[in-house]
């Protein structure tokens, strides 16, 4: 079996294990909440019938292992229950808003990658120059300004003062242009910090790669400098960047909560947030489950992309310790 | 006569590699024993086993006829018998302690009074040509040559009966490599030491060792008196190894060197 | 082809403490089809010579003078990018550490075909592939079609150095520079790699500059030898002539320090002692006057501090020169 | 001490490090002394609402007429206190777990790694929101939850450090000397494990400040009437139409606090790097 296939299988197994562990952790977290589980989870709206229904559903009268089993069975089969407030299926509520969040995080990711890599390369090609210094200072400023602060100021300037872009919402469904105009500001807010971070990372790793022996070897064989940088060095320099994108995705999902709230944009973040305010815990729980699923899947993708980029990664995992 | 080091049928496996494969070895007291081989031959692993840094999976090791325990109990037992100078002496000094603090530890381990250990240390420094102020420095503040001598001093303060030198010539220019080798030779005469030189440098081991063993892929392919191993080898591998070693052939070219 | 000659090469490094004259006025010649061994210890400047020839010095280095004569053309090394057009066409280089000299995320094929796309742009993909495969086979790599698809980490150090030799083979250069090509390798692998380098020379008849700290390697594989000390060339000549009578005290001392596998061995190993050269390299920012080696030389006299020794022919042998004022005394 | 003085000197000699150090000191002074020089931060004076900066109210007033200088100082103090406590706690717990896992090896080690992976499988803010929602808002819960988020990072680094130290020649040398295990760990392991952990801790201070501000921004962090930089920004944001001042003062303070601690942390990292040690000798 090729190393890359073995690697993917191993990473997949590890991701599943992590997912199972994460669901278990969620179960434990809920179990340890002090007080009567049914009244806490159902909130103030809980009628005696609802409570009985809930206890039945969760198997509260059964043993802990059985409860864990039921919990998993529901989680795996996508049976997340019915929302008490709207009476809708929770799964469909989540699937309604999930694309908004994925689009937001995906757009944020693309913007950070495009600008981060470009700015990092520009800085690395002229280390110590004025543009390098300016980019360095800008990167630190970008990194250290929290995403929600950026979001507020973007909203303030571009929506409220200049009226260039829409203030709130995710745009009308089925109108790509409208949705895009609603995406620009929140995605920018999400990506500012990561643009700075990636620009610095790419700069540092490109500089390091350019000082390595194999680059000198390519120069010794007369390979043009532009081709060395773009073709040979960049691919190697991107490996550490792709590796941190796993964390990047998690950070995007985290910050999406703030950005969605500020732009009043429907999404997983606003869904969880509003559910918390209304003490609608089944929705909170389901929302968390989906973000974990998304995050773990993205991390798996990042690992695989990195293994495709750098053949040593798949190999090192398969090597016996 | 009891052997200084006696290893019987030692086996050790790391994952898919058999690092030591039925190694049986005797080192006579007060000999200089050369352990040679290429990278991955198992010579370093064997040295670590003797020092108690690796645990044998099977087989036995005795120092001066005393069977040795494995692991940390074994270390306490053998620390007074065997000491080592590691390949990169600068890296073998704990980076956040002063040289003096590192040498005082020897006194702690031996239960020796501080005055006594410091007197011995000062005498050794003089013998090794280290300035007395070295004790106040941190490892990163001294030169590579000084670090090498500090490592020698620390090993000798333990008054070992066996001293292991791991790749004593690695990374050194030929014009300075003789320095440490000559020092080892003198110490050996002064202190009745049994010396084990672990090295890939056949030419050096050939001159310094009384007896030698050649390792290849975890096995000892040949062992015996140095004259026999290096000048009349029996094993094919030893012959191949010796043949690949570059020859100066100055004599053939008519050199008038001494 | 008429070989390669370097004349009056000097290289400065700008350091915090001041200007460091790392290489001073070095002239060397390697005839066609000959291997010149450039020998020196750490700090001798031998690798700086190689990088200066290739134009690959670090940013703080400056070639202040020097020319490279390659065949009938001459190139002014003090000019920026003087030899850039020659790299990968008339010049090639093999580096010291085979574990670092290939890009880990590109296949062996990518390395070899990259070289070909510059050297032989007329070849199409298929022809390049075939040439790459032939080059691997020529340096003694089994099953080259499989190796082509592999990545550097899947190859042993010796194998990687053979790939580097194959790259040089594809270039068919007039001058090949090999900078400590076997230092990181075991003795048995070293012998194989050196044989491949000699094989390459036989095949394409290029001049080879072999940079090494090992006199043994030079004695075994080189035709000519040049000895560097602290940035200066102290002696050069044919290996046979220099070995027979080294003229410079440093060359003599270095030879005496070399521990050979066939050195006479006393009956008692306890009595073996090793030669060293006492003292340290001079401080590069405060070089001694006169002869560069006089501070460590056991033959130094008062004149050595006053006179910068010119190259003197040793023993009347043509081409064998040493920079010592006492060379022909005795 | 003379191991640590050069580090401080290196930080001071790097331009960004100097800016970071100055900012950190200013923010600390503001947090410590600000409340001393200010009027009661929670005193409501509705008639004075939405004032711009003046001598009486250096940063203006908020929607309830409270003095924003006092409230920002109070919020800064909360941010610093929380970030320092969280970082110290997660360093301590992470170091203990990580070193223990690294030394023990085997299934204990693997179990700890899986546990860390599971905690990090949750996007940080989402897990924090969920935990706080279930277990209730409040200072202690906030501390514990954010600490939990940061333990895996410190634990992983402590474990990695321990594993790489185990193969360092100087550890081998000490073992060959026969130094007892306890002394070996205390003298030669811990100082070398702690160095990088402290650097990581200093780099994480701004991250914790941001998370605390974010949680307070959405009402799950520091609770009113106690001010926090996040809740100040939130209050300002709600009344953005009436006045910019409440948002601007707290947002800039937040940005300066994270900027200062980031620059300081990075300079510390560079100064503590043994490869760069003694550059300025």
């Amino acid at each position: 079996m090729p190393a890359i296939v073995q690697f993917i299988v191993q990473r997949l197994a590890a991701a599943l294990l992590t997912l199972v562990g994460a669901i278990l952790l969620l179960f434990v977290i809920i179990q340890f909440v002090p007080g009567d589980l049914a009244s806490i989870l159902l909130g103030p709206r809980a009628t005696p019938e609802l409570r009985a229904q809930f206890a039945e559903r969760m198997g509260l009268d059964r043993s802990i292992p059985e409860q864990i089993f039921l919990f998993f069975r529901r989680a795996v089969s996508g049976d997340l229950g019915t929302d008490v407030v709207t009476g809708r299926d929770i799964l469909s509520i989540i699937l309604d808003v999930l694309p908004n969040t994925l689009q937001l995080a995906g757009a944020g990711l693309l913007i950070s990658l495009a600008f981060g890599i470009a700015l990092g390369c520009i800085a690395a090609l002229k280390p110590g120059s004025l543009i390098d210094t300016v980019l360095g200072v800008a990167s630190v400023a970008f990194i250290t300004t929290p995403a929600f602060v950026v979001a507020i100021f973007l909203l303030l300037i571009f929506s409220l003062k200049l009226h260039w872009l829409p203030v709130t919402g995710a745009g009308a469904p089925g109108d790509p242009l409208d949705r895009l105009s609603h995406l620009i500001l929140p995605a920018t807010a999400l990506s500012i910090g990561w643009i700075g971070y990636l620009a610095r990372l790419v700069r540092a790793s490109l500089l390091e790669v350019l000082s390595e022996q194999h680059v000198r070897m390519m120069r010794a064989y007369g390979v043009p400098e532009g081709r060395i940088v773009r073709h040979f060095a960049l691919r190697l320099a991107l490996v550490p960047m792709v590796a941190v994108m796993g964390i990047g995705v998690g950070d995007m999902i985290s910050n999406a909560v703030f950005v969605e709230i500020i732009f009043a944009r429907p999404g997983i973040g606003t869904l969880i947030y509003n559910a918390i305010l209304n003490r609608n815990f089944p929705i909170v729980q389901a929302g968390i489950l989906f973000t974990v699923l998304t995050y773990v899947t993205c991390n798996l993708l990042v690992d695989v992309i990195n293994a495709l980029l750098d053949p040593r990664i798949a190999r090192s995992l398969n090597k016996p310790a | 006569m009891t052997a200084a080091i006696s290893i019987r049928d030692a086996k050790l496996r790391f994952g898919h590699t058999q690092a030591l494969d039925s190694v049986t070895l005797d080192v006579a007291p007060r000999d200089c024993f050369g352990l040679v081989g290429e990278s991955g031959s198992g010579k370093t692993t064997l040295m670590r086993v003797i020092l108690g840094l690796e645990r044998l999976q099977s087989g036995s090791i005795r120092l001066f006829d005393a069977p040795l325990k494995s692991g940390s109990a074994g270390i306490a037992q053998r620390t007074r018998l065997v000491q080592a100078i590691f390949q990169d002496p600068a890296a073998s000094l704990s980076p956040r302690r002063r040289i003096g603090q590192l040498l005082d530890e020897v006194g702690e381990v031996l239960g020796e009074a501080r005055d006594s250990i410091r007197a011995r240390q000062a005498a050794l420094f003089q013998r090794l040509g280290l300035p007395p102020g070295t004790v106040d420095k941190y490892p990163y503040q001294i030169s590579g040559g000084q670090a090498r001598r500090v490592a020698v001093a620390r090993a000798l303060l333990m008054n070992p009966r066996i001293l292991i030198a791991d790749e004593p010539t690695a990374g050194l220019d030929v014009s300075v490599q003789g320095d440490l080798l000559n020092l080892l030779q003198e110490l050996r005469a002064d202190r009745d030491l049994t010396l084990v030189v672990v090295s890939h440098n056949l030419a050096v081991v050939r001159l310094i060792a009384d007896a030698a063993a050649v390792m290849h892929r975890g096995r000892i392919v040949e062992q015996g008196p140095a004259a026999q191993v290096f000048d009349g080898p029996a094993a094919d591998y030893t012959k191949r190894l010796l043949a690949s070693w570059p020859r100066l052939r100055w004599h053939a070219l008519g050199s008038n060197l001494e | 082809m008429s070989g390669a000659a370097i004349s009056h090469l000097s290289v400065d490094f700008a350091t915090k403490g001041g200007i460091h004259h790392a290489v001073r006025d070095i002239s060397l010649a390697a005839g066609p089809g000959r291997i010149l061994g450039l020998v020196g210890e750490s700090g001798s400047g031998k690798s700086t010579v190689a990088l200066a020839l290739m134009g690959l010095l670090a940013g703080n280095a400056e070639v202040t003078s020097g020319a490279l004569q390659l065949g009938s053309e001459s190139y002014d090394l003090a000019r920026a990018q003087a030899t850039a057009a020659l790299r990968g066409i008339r010049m090639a280089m093999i580096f010291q550490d085979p574990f670092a000299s290939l890009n880990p995320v590109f296949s062996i094929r990518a390395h070899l075909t990259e070289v070909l796309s510059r050297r032989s742009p007329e070849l199409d993909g298929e022809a390049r592939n075939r040439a790459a495969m032939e080059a691997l086979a020529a340096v003694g790599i089994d099953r080259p079609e499989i190796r082509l698809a592999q990545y550097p980490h899947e190859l042993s150090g010796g194998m990687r150095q053979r790939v580097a030799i194959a790259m040089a083979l594809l270039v068919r250069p007039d001058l090949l520079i090999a900078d400590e090509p076997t230092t990181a390798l075991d003795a048995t692998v070293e012998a194989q790699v050196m044989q491949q380098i000699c094989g390459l020379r036989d095949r394409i008849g290029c001049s080879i500059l072999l940079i090494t700290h090992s006199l043994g390697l030079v004695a075994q594989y080189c035709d000519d030898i040049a000895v560097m000390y602290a940035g200066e060339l102290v002696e050069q000549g044919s290996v046979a002539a220099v070995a027979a009578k080294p003229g410079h005290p440093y060359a003599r001392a270095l030879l005496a320090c070399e521990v050979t596998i066939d050195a006479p061995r006393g009956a008692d190993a306890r009595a073996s002692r090793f030669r060293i050269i006492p003292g340290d390299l001079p401080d590069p920012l405060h070089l001694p006057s006169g002869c560069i080696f006089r501070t460590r030389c056991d033959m130094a006299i008062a004149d050595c501090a006053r006179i910068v020794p010119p190259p003197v022919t040793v023993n009347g042998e043509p081409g064998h020169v040493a920079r010592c004022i006492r060379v022909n005394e005795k | 001490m003379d191991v640590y003085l050069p580090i401080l000197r290196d930080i001071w000699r790097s331009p960004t490090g100097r800016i970071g150090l100055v900012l950190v000191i200013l923010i600390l002074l503001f947090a410590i002394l600000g409340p001393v020089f200010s009027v009661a931060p929670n005193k409501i004076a509705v008639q004075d609402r939405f004032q711009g900066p003046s001598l009486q109210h250096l940063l203006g007033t908020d929607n309830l007429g409270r003095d924003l200088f006092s409230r920002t100082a109070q919020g800064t103090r909360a941010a610093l206190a929380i970030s320092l406590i969280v970082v110290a706690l997660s360093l301590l717990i992470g170091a203990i777990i990580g070193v223990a896992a690294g030394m023990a090896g085997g299934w204990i080690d693997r179990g700890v790694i899986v546990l860390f992976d599971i905690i990090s499988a949750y996007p940080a803010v989402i897990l924090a929101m969920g935990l706080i929602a279930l277990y209730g808002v409040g200072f202690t819960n906030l501390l514990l939850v954010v600490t939990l988020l940061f333990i895996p990072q410190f634990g992983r680094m402590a474990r990695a450090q321990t594993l790489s130290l185990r193969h360092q020649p100087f550890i081998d040398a000490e073992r060959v000397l026969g130094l007892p295990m306890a002394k070996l760990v205390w003298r030669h392991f811990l100082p070398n494990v702690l160095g990088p952990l402290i650097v990581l801790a200093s780099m994480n201070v701004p991250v914790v400040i941001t998370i605390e501000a974010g949680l307070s921004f959405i009402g799950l962090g520091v609770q009113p009437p106690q001010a926090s930089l996040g809740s100040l920004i939130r209050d300002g944001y709600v009344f953005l139409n009436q006045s910019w001042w409440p948002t601007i003062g707290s947002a800039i303070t937040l940005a300066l606090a994270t900027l200062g601690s980031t620059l300081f942390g990075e300079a510390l990292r560079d100064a503590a790097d043994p490869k760069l040690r003694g550059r300025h000798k």
Side-chain angles (χ1 to χ4, degrees):
Chain A
M1 195 158 45
I4 184 75
V5 178
Q6 269 185 50
F7 175 82
I8 292 174
V9 169
Q10 263 165 325
R11 290 310 304 158
L12 197 63
L16 281 176
L17 180 70
T18 308
L19 213 50
V20 168
I23 296 174
L24 205 61
L25 179 65
L26 194 57
F27 178 83
V28 171
I29 288 171
I30 293 170
Q31 283 297 311
F32 275 96
V33 172
D36 174 38
L37 205 54
S39 29
I40 292 169
L41 289 188
L42 289 176
R45 289 171 303 275
T47 60
E49 301 94 83
L50 271 176
R51 285 173 151 200
Q53 229 176 36
F54 179 80
E56 165 71 29
R57 210 178 115 73
M58 298 281 289
L60 286 184
D61 49 348
R62 308 203 204 180
S63 68
I64 294 286
E66 272 181 286
Q67 286 188 41
I68 294 178
F69 175 75
L70 284 173
F71 191 84
F72 267 98
R73 199 174 62 184
R74 275 181 277 119
V76 171
S77 63
D79 169 17
L80 301 173
T82 310
D83 179 27
V84 211
V85 183
T86 58
R88 286 181 63 197
D89 184 24
I90 293 183
L91 182 65
S92 75
I93 295 180
I94 288 191
L95 291 181
D96 267 358
V97 296
L98 188 64
N100 288 334
T101 303
L102 292 184
Q103 281 162 12
L104 176 60
L109 215 58
L110 283 181
I111 297 175
S112 344
L113 285 173
F115 283 89
I117 295 174
L119 297 179
C121 289
I122 291 171
L125 289 180
K126 293 221 159 63
S129 66
L130 181 66
I131 184 135
D132 182 30
T133 314
V134 169
L135 285 176
V137 173
S139 300
V140 179
F142 280 14
I143 293 168
T144 53
T145 315
F148 69 92
V149 174
V150 177
I152 290 176
F153 281 94
L154 287 179
L155 184 75
L156 196 65
I157 296 167
F158 293 99
S159 300
L160 298 180
K161 287 284 160 196
L162 300 173
H163 301 288
W164 285 359
L165 288 160
V167 183
T168 55
D175 180 354
L177 268 182
D178 188 39
R179 290 187 67 83
L180 193 65
S181 68
H182 279 86
L183 196 57
I184 293 175
L185 287 184
T188 308
L190 265 193
S191 56
I192 286 286
W194 276 84
I195 290 176
Y197 185 60
L198 292 184
R200 289 174 40 137
L201 192 67
V202 169
R203 174 188 182 273
S205 77
L206 190 57
L207 276 180
E208 192 182 322
V209 169
L210 285 175
S211 73
E212 282 169 8
Q213 180 105 314
H214 52 82
V215 166
R216 198 174 246 186
M217 178 94 159
M218 281 297 161
R219 288 183 184 140
Y221 281 87
V223 180
E225 194 63 21
R227 181 163 167 80
I228 291 179
V229 174
R230 277 191 300 273
H231 187 65
F232 288 99
L234 193 57
R235 178 159 165 197
L236 193 54
L238 290 186
V239 171
M241 188 207 73
V242 173
V244 301
M245 283 326 288
I247 301 169
V249 172
D251 209 55
M252 295 277 165
I253 298 173
S254 278
N255 279 325
V257 175
F258 304 130
V259 171
E260 284 174 358
I261 292 171
I262 290 168
F263 287 93
R265 203 185 139 84
I268 284 277
T270 32
L271 183 76
I272 296 177
Y273 176 63
N274 289 325
I276 288 175
L277 293 185
N278 302 325
R279 307 202 65 73
N280 188 347
F281 284 101
I283 297 239
V284 175
Q285 187 187 321
I288 291 179
L289 216 53
F290 263 83
T291 56
V292 171
L293 183 66
T294 312
Y295 189 22
V296 171
T297 312
C298 290
N299 262 312
L300 182 65
L301 281 177
V302 163
D303 281 353
V304 172
I305 291 172
N306 224 10
L308 290 173
L309 213 53
D310 184 348
R312 290 170 300 177
I313 292 174
R315 163 109 163 184
S316 67
L317 192 86
N318 293 327
K319 218 187 274 172
Chain B
M1 193 169 60
T2 60
I5 304 172
S6 172
I7 297 167
R8 289 287 169 274
D9 203 23
K11 285 183 183 153
L12 182 53
R13 194 180 179 83
F14 298 125
H16 286 300
T17 40
Q18 188 77 42
L20 295 179
D21 192 357
S22 306
V23 169
T24 292
L25 185 80
D26 282 305
V27 175
R30 287 187 292 280
D31 254 10
C32 173
F33 189 88
L35 193 55
V36 298
E38 298 185 292
S39 43
S41 63
K43 59 183 193 301
T44 305
T45 307
L46 188 57
M47 173 195 81
R48 292 176 63 84
V49 164
I50 297 171
L51 289 171
L53 294 172
E54 303 285 351
R55 204 180 287 251
L56 280 181
Q57 277 152 352
S58 74
S60 71
I61 164 164
R62 291 163 167 258
L63 298 183
F64 294 103
D65 230 16
L68 281 169
K69 301 180 196 105
S70 282
S72 42
I75 286 186
Q77 186 189 2
R78 73 188 77 190
T79 178
R80 272 150 237 227
L81 291 176
V82 52
Q83 283 297 316
I85 302 155
F86 289 90
Q87 176 171 352
D88 181 354
S92 76
L93 303 174
S94 191
R96 283 163 208 262
R97 310 279 291 175
R98 288 173 201 277
I99 304 297
Q101 290 175 308
L102 289 173
L103 295 173
D104 283 348
E105 278 183 345
V106 175
E108 259 177 74
V109 171
L110 294 177
E112 186 175 343
R114 181 149 291 196
D115 290 346
S116 148
I117 190 83
R118 290 209 170 149
R120 289 208 289 130
Q121 170 253 309
L124 259 174
F125 269 33
Q126 198 173 12
R127 165 80 179 75
L128 299 174
L130 281 165
T134 311
V135 289
D136 295 322
K137 296 195 166 155
Y138 285 92
Y140 72 90
Q141 295 171 316
I142 62 176
S143 72
Q146 285 176 329
R148 192 166 294 113
R149 281 158 191 274
V150 168
V152 172
R154 176 165 63 174
L156 292 180
L157 275 178
M158 290 292 291
N159 288 321
R161 296 177 69 186
I162 304 167
L163 184 64
I164 301 184
D166 183 19
E167 296 285 3
T169 63
L172 297 179
D173 281 321
V174 285
S175 68
V176 296
Q177 71 175 16
D179 208 22
L180 179 61
L181 296 172
N182 289 341
L183 179 63
L184 289 175
Q185 287 284 62
E186 284 162 30
L187 291 172
R188 189 180 156 206
D190 293 355
R191 297 185 161 237
D192 265 357
L193 277 172
T194 304
L195 198 60
V196 177
V197 175
V198 182
S199 179
H200 71 283
N201 193 330
L202 299 177
V204 161
V205 173
R206 176 176 167 273
L207 291 186
I208 200 176
D210 300 295
V214 182
M215 290 193 74
H216 182 54
R217 292 186 181 163
R219 289 176 168 274
I220 290 187
V221 294
E222 178 150 11
Q223 68 176 309
Q228 183 193 317
V229 170
F230 293 109
D231 296 334
D236 286 344
Y237 177 73
T238 317
K239 286 179 190 161
R240 200 144 53 84
L241 197 57
L242 286 165
S244 65
W245 199 260
R247 267 144 226 277
L248 270 183
R249 294 178 301 170
W250 300 125
H251 309 290
L253 292 164
S255 167
N256 59 356
L257 285 174
E258 359 162 21
Chain C
M1 234 189 306
S2 57
I6 303 149
S7 45
H8 304 294
L9 176 66
S10 295
V11 181
D12 283 359
F13 282 95
T15 68
K16 267 190 183 160
I19 300 290
H20 171 194
H21 307 288
V23 169
R24 299 183 296 283
D25 196 24
I26 285 206
S27 300
L28 289 171
R34 288 177 79 86
I35 303 183
L36 167 65
L38 181 58
V39 185
E41 298 189 286
S42 351
S44 63
K46 57 188 190 299
S47 288
T48 304
V49 171
L51 295 176
L53 291 179
M54 297 297 292
L56 294 175
L57 285 166
N60 64 336
E62 193 198 347
V63 178
T64 52
S65 74
L68 171 68
Q69 179 90 25
L70 207 55
S72 53
E73 288 107 283
S74 178
Y75 303 90
D76 179 8
L77 293 171
R79 260 185 40 232
Q81 300 295 310
T83 54
L86 306 179
R87 303 201 292 248
I89 308 273
R90 298 189 67 190
M91 292 168 81
M93 183 158 174
I94 299 170
F95 290 86
Q96 172 170 357
D97 183 359
F99 295 92
S101 58
L102 299 176
N103 188 322
V105 300
F106 284 88
S107 66
I108 302 304
R109 174 182 288 117
H111 285 87
L112 293 172
T113 50
E114 186 67 29
V115 167
L116 274 174
S117 68
R118 174 165 166 84
R119 184 65 174 98
S120 313
E122 71 283 0
L123 295 181
D124 62 6
E126 177 56 31
R128 277 181 206 169
N129 206 32
R130 204 167 43 244
M133 199 134 72
E134 283 164 9
L136 284 189
V139 295
I141 289 183
D142 285 343
R143 298 195 297 167
E145 65 286 354
I146 292 175
R147 296 297 180 191
L148 272 182
Q150 285 186 318
Y151 287 85
H153 68 271
E154 297 173 90
L155 272 55
S156 68
M159 201 85 90
R160 286 184 225 191
Q161 211 57 313
R162 284 168 197 245
V163 170
I165 299 170
M167 285 168 73
L169 185 63
L170 289 173
V171 169
R172 287 171 283 116
D174 297 329
L175 173 62
L176 172 67
I177 300 174
D179 186 7
E180 304 259 13
T182 59
T183 304
L185 304 174
D186 278 324
T188 48
V189 186
E190 172 177 85
Q192 294 160 6
V193 167
M194 282 313 300
Q195 274 153 23
Q196 292 303 334
I197 290 180
C198 293
L200 178 136
R201 183 258 321 254
D202 298 341
R203 202 181 286 260
I204 58 182
C206 62
S207 308
I208 296 181
L209 180 61
L210 175 72
I211 291 164
T212 179
H213 64 275
S214 162
L215 282 169
L217 222 53
V218 172
Q220 185 127 356
Y221 299 102
C222 294
D223 304 295
D224 301 299
I225 180 171
V227 182
M228 279 186 80
Y229 176 77
E232 287 179 16
L233 198 64
V234 294
E235 177 150 6
Q236 62 180 313
S238 72
V239 169
V242 174
K245 188 175 189 307
H248 197 281
Y250 174 69
R252 199 153 47 224
L254 198 61
L255 271 172
C257 285
E258 185 81 16
V259 183
T260 66
I261 197 74
D262 48 3
R265 188 177 181 280
D268 185 5
R270 281 161 199 276
S272 300
R273 288 295 181 275
F274 298 83
R275 283 172 184 276
I276 62 167
I277 303 180
D280 295 310
L281 273 177
D283 177 351
L285 296 175
H286 303 96
L287 295 171
S289 63
C291 169
I292 186 76
F293 186 60
R294 69 175 168 85
T295 52
R296 300 171 78 180
C297 183
D298 51 9
M299 292 176 65
I301 53 174
D303 272 353
C304 295
R306 291 191 297 108
I307 305 170
V308 176
V312 179
T313 302
V314 182
N315 260 5
E317 294 160 337
H320 181 189
V321 293
R323 292 183 59 185
C324 174
I325 54 172
R326 302 188 63 191
V327 80
N328 286 322
E329 288 178 24
K330 202 168 255 184
Chain D
M1 200 51 207
D2 43 357
V3 180
Y4 302 103
L5 270 179
I7 291 181
L8 213 59
R9 202 183 52 206
D10 269 13
I11 292 175
W12 185 249
R13 287 188 182 176
S14 100
T16 53
R18 190 178 300 191
I19 297 171
L21 194 60
V22 168
L23 276 177
V24 165
I25 291 171
L26 285 180
I27 293 284
L28 273 174
L29 285 179
F30 180 51
I32 295 165
L33 299 179
V36 178
F37 291 107
S38 53
V39 287
N42 299 335
K43 191 182 147 231
I44 296 172
V46 185
Q47 67 281 7
D48 295 335
R49 67 207 296 247
F50 298 132
Q51 288 189 2
S54 65
L55 268 183
Q56 199 192 349
H57 302 289
L58 287 174
L59 293 174
T61 59
D62 70 358
N63 57 312
L64 297 175
R66 291 176 294 194
D67 175 47
L68 278 168
F69 180 81
S70 321
R71 289 187 68 72
T72 308
Q74 195 186 42
T76 308
R77 179 184 276 198
L80 290 184
I82 288 169
S83 59
L84 292 178
I85 294 172
V86 162
V87 159
L89 268 183
S90 46
L91 186 151
L92 189 72
I93 300 171
I96 291 171
I97 299 178
V99 172
M103 295 292 268
W107 65 268
I108 297 181
D109 187 33
R110 255 167 291 167
V112 166
I113 288 296
V114 170
L115 188 67
F116 287 164
D117 280 352
I118 288 170
I119 297 176
S120 335
Y122 288 85
V125 169
I126 304 273
L127 180 58
M129 282 169 68
L131 282 170
I132 292 172
L134 281 165
Y135 287 82
V137 290
F139 194 75
T140 318
N141 278 358
L142 180 66
L143 277 184
L144 293 179
V145 165
V146 183
T147 301
L148 177 75
L149 296 180
F150 280 84
I151 287 175
Q153 249 191 68
F154 287 96
R156 285 203 191 98
M157 180 176 260
R159 174 182 172 273
Q161 271 301 110
T162 308
L163 288 183
S164 81
L165 276 178
R166 273 171 64 162
H167 299 289
Q168 288 293 314
F170 72 86
I171 293 291
D172 280 347
E174 297 294 338
R175 285 176 66 197
V176 167
L177 210 61
L179 201 68
M181 198 48 144
K183 283 181 183 167
L184 185 71
V185 171
W186 180 250
R187 279 185 204 162
H188 303 288
F189 263 90
L190 278 185
N192 293 294
V193 171
L194 274 181
L197 284 184
I198 289 171
V199 170
L200 179 66
S202 77
M203 309 274 294
N204 267 334
V205 166
V207 184
V208 179
I209 292 178
T210 310
I211 289 185
E212 181 271 317
L215 289 173
S216 300
F217 178 77
I218 58 174
L220 295 177
V222 174
Q223 294 301 303
Q226 160 80 41
S228 136
L229 293 176
S231 58
L232 286 171
I233 296 172
R234 167 72 172 193
D235 294 348
Y237 163 69
V238 172
F239 297 100
L240 215 49
N241 295 334
Q242 278 102 326
S243 168
W244 285 42
W245 294 111
T247 322
I248 295 216
S250 41
I252 288 179
T253 311
L254 176 59
L256 287 183
T258 52
L259 180 68
S261 45
T262 301
L263 293 178
F264 176 79
E266 289 184 345
L268 177 66
R269 178 197 58 198
D270 294 344
D273 188 338
K275 275 182 285 184
L276 306 173
R277 165 90 47 91
R279 271 173 309 177
H280 302 299
K281 237 193 304 196

